[in-house]
Amino acid sequence: MRKNFIASIAFLLASSTAVFAQSAAISDGKVKIGILNDQSGVYADFGGKSSVEAAKMAVEDFGGKVLDMPVEIVDADHQNKPDIASNIARQWYDTEQVDAIMELTTSSVALAVQAIGKEKKKIDIVTGAATTDLTGKACSPYGFHWAYDTHALAVGTGGALVKQGGDSWFFLTADYAFGYSLEQQTTDYVKASGGTVVGSVRHPLSTQDFSSFLLQAQSSGAKVIGLANAGLDTSNAIKQAAEFGITQGGQHLAALLFTLAEVHGLGMEAAQGLTLTEGYYWNRDDQSREFAKKFFARTGKMPNMVHTGTYSAVLQYLKAIQKAGTDETEAVAKQLHEMPVDDVFGRGGTVGPNGRMIHDMYLLQVKKPSESKEPWDYFNVLATIPGKEAYIDPAKSGCDLVK
């Protein structure tokens, strides 16, 4: 009896030690991930609450725990304001034990939060913002850019239209970091391909009346009007361009950041023929359709690249913690840089030393309504753009982390 008692005590001590060791490896006894994005404004459909659901799906598919500790998703609406986002990020990091922040729609917001993460040595993974500065001059050892960026959009949509003869451009540009970056990247690509840019005009975020901007674009005589904006701004510009008869007059609209969510909101009748670039399309193959079916059951919509990219980012973060054996930032960041990405979004993806996740992009064209075979069947896949072509070589990104 004494031997059995001693053996039982030894077993309990060993079990307690193992549990304590795993608990100690996970700060605060759990992993807490914050999804910070626009949930009520111009980009609410682009990411919004659906990105939160995608994050929760990733946690559930991982098993709900990592290193036997629970995983929690929290979320907040930054209202597309860097000051509000910064306050939320600091509160999350300083008092609410949030380990990483993700999604971060709106480039000005993403840049502000990434700077805070760098200061506090916390990981951020951006899936909703586009500026290449995140992995360029503003790069961070703890910052990662996952779903797409302005360079990939310029190579995809801009490159396709120049090849089709759209060699003169005028830009309608959102007046903040994202718009500037998208216009500049596309300008560089158009000029390198032998095209010209005849002018541009900037508009405030959440513009309701595009008439004066569209009239300037129309009078420019440019073959292509590049919409360097996103969300409802792009949808409103397209609707109002139709009222002015711009496309009927022979000019082509280039929606430089337009996703499945915006096409659905605009409707196929108005969107048909538009060329765009995404990092994911739900109806591309069986793996994409399987994920989309689960997502639709939770949200009532099919996912775009921001939603699926958020799923991928959360999943990869949890895999990195598992492999590192801790949620300590330096160890997890090291694994995020080294581990290949292989999931429904980032198939065969790799992460560069500047934090850019390199993966294939897809050049898409909106079908005519008569071509659509089922609800949400909106796109023809025109081409696959290899990741190495879509994204800037890390050595040329301007990131001081790249040696």
Side-chain angles (χ1 to χ4, degrees):
M1 287 180 65
R2 185 179 180 184
K3 287 181 179 179
N4 289 339
F5 177 74
I6 292 172
S8 298
I9 293 296
F11 175 77
L12 290 171
L13 286 172
S15 300
S16 297
T17 301
V19 171
F20 176 77
Q22 286 188 323
S23 179
I26 299 296
S27 58
D28 309 305
K30 64 182 174 183
V31 171
K32 201 169 183 180
I33 301 169
I35 305 300
L36 184 57
N37 61 7
D38 176 10
Q39 299 180 6
S40 57
V42 66
Y43 301 137
D45 288 337
F46 182 71
K49 283 290 188 179
S50 296
S51 286
V52 178
E53 286 302 311
K56 291 178 179 178
M57 285 176 66
V59 173
E60 291 167 14
D61 288 350
F62 194 78
K65 294 183 178 182
V66 60
L67 299 177
D68 286 335
M69 295 294 115
V71 181
E72 181 182 351
I73 298 293
V74 296
D75 68 275
D77 183 353
H78 59 47
Q79 302 174 47
N80 295 310
K81 297 177 180 178
D83 56 338
I84 291 177
S86 296
N87 289 336
I88 293 170
R90 290 187 184 280
Q91 180 179 336
W92 275 358
Y93 286 148
D94 293 342
T95 65
E96 298 186 23
Q97 293 81 49
V98 169
D99 299 291
I101 297 177
M102 303 185 192
E103 220 266 42
L104 295 168
T105 308
T106 313
S107 292
S108 53
V109 163
L111 288 166
V113 173
Q114 181 157 290
I116 294 170
K118 186 175 182 179
E119 169 198 332
K120 295 183 176 294
K121 294 188 177 182
K122 294 284 190 176
I123 286 171
D124 71 274
I125 306 181
V126 177
T127 59
T131 178
T132 53
D133 285 351
L134 287 161
T135 51
K137 63 183 181 181
C139 68
S140 161
Y142 318 115
F144 299 86
H145 202 176
W146 219 249
Y148 71 102
D149 64 23
T150 51
H151 187 269
L153 300 175
V155 170
T157 309
L161 291 175
V162 172
K163 288 176 183 177
Q164 293 172 11
D167 55 5
S168 63
W169 287 61
F170 185 97
F171 288 96
L172 264 68
T173 303
D175 193 10
Y176 73 104
F178 152 69
Y180 313 151
S181 182
L182 186 52
E183 179 186 332
Q184 187 59 57
Q185 295 284 347
T186 309
T187 294
D188 291 345
Y189 202 82
V190 167
K191 289 182 176 179
S193 303
T196 60
V197 174
V198 301
S200 66
V201 63
R202 292 177 176 175
H203 68 81
L205 183 65
S206 301
T207 298
Q208 298 300 313
D209 184 2
F210 280 89
S211 57
S212 63
F213 309 120
L214 288 167
L215 287 171
Q216 290 181 61
Q218 188 176 39
S219 64
S220 74
K223 294 179 182 177
V224 179
I225 299 172
L227 303 176
N229 48 24
L232 289 177
D233 281 343
T234 307
S235 297
N236 287 334
I238 293 170
K239 288 177 184 177
Q240 292 173 40
E243 295 171 7
F244 283 99
I246 286 178
T247 54
Q248 294 90 326
Q251 290 175 296
H252 190 99
L253 294 178
L256 294 169
L257 177 51
F258 210 54
T259 75
L260 185 81
E262 288 75 52
V263 172
H264 183 72
L266 184 60
M268 288 187 74
E269 189 67 39
Q272 62 182 307
L274 281 174
T275 303
L276 56 103
T277 304
E278 280 218 58
Y280 166 89
Y281 176 41
W282 77 269
N283 207 15
R284 193 172 72 86
D285 57 26
D286 289 342
Q287 186 181 4
S288 299
R289 283 187 283 270
E290 182 181 358
F291 173 80
K293 184 178 180 180
K294 293 178 182 178
F295 184 87
F296 186 87
R298 300 174 71 121
T299 66
K301 64 176 70 173
M302 290 299 185
N304 64 12
M305 64 180 171
V306 177
H307 306 137
T308 317
T310 301
Y311 173 90
S312 172
V314 171
L315 195 64
Q316 192 74 359
Y317 177 65
L318 296 176
K319 289 178 181 178
I321 292 174
Q322 186 77 46
K323 190 167 184 180
T326 176
D327 66 351
E328 190 274 324
T329 297
E330 298 284 356
V332 175
K334 182 176 185 294
Q335 293 301 328
L336 285 170
H337 278 105
E338 294 177 356
M339 290 169 55
V341 182
D342 190 14
D343 55 40
V344 68
F345 179 80
R347 304 181 201 180
T350 58
V351 178
N354 60 343
R356 173 69 258 175
M357 200 271 276
I358 298 168
H359 58 93
D360 292 347
M361 298 288 288
Y362 305 102
L363 182 65
L364 308 168
Q365 188 170 50
V366 181
K367 293 180 176 182
K368 297 176 182 178
S370 60
E371 296 175 327
S372 181
K373 298 177 181 178
E374 60 182 307
W376 296 88
D377 176 32
Y378 294 157
F379 297 144
N380 287 315
V381 180
L382 301 181
T384 298
I385 307 163
K388 289 185 178 180
E389 292 180 19
Y391 296 104
I392 298 171
D393 181 343
K396 299 177 181 178
S397 66
C399 173
D400 59 11
L401 300 173
V402 182
K403 299 179 182 178

